[in-house]
Amino acid sequence: GLPMTIRSCFYPLVGEKIFGWMGDAIDILSVCCTMFGVCTSLGVGVMQMNTGFERIFKKFEYSVKNQIILIWCVTACATA
């Protein structure tokens, strides 16, 4: 009967404390780390896509504007 959260993994280490503020802190930290990991992966991937498009299509320049457009396109494809 433990909930399906990251705090449940820490039950053998901290015991019943996972149902208090410590468990909440573990869950918040895990969500933040996951969000930063996804954002980093998206950013690095978009930079690589921008470089690839620049090499394939000579008029496609490497710029922040194009990277923002690519982020919108990747996000639209991922959520569609």
Side-chain angles (χ1 to χ4, degrees):
L2 292 175
M4 187 66 81
T5 57
I6 297 297
R7 72 173 74 189
S8 298
C9 297
F10 289 90
Y11 185 78
L13 296 174
V14 296
E16 295 293 322
K17 292 180 182 177
I18 66 165
F19 297 112
W21 69 269
M22 192 179 296
D24 293 339
I26 290 170
D27 283 343
I28 291 169
L29 184 65
S30 67
V31 168
C32 290
C33 290
T34 302
M35 180 188 66
F36 286 125
V38 169
C39 291
T40 301
S41 299
L42 178 63
V44 171
V46 163
M47 288 170 54
Q48 290 179 343
M49 286 175 64
N50 198 355
T51 302
F53 286 149
E54 180 188 26
R55 289 184 179 200
I56 293 172
F57 310 111
K58 298 300 180 193
K59 292 185 178 184
F60 197 91
E61 64 183 31
Y62 186 87
S63 68
V64 174
K65 182 182 85 170
N66 287 338
Q67 289 174 0
I68 291 171
I69 292 169
L70 285 171
I71 287 172
W72 277 101
C73 293
V74 169
T75 303
C77 290
T79 58

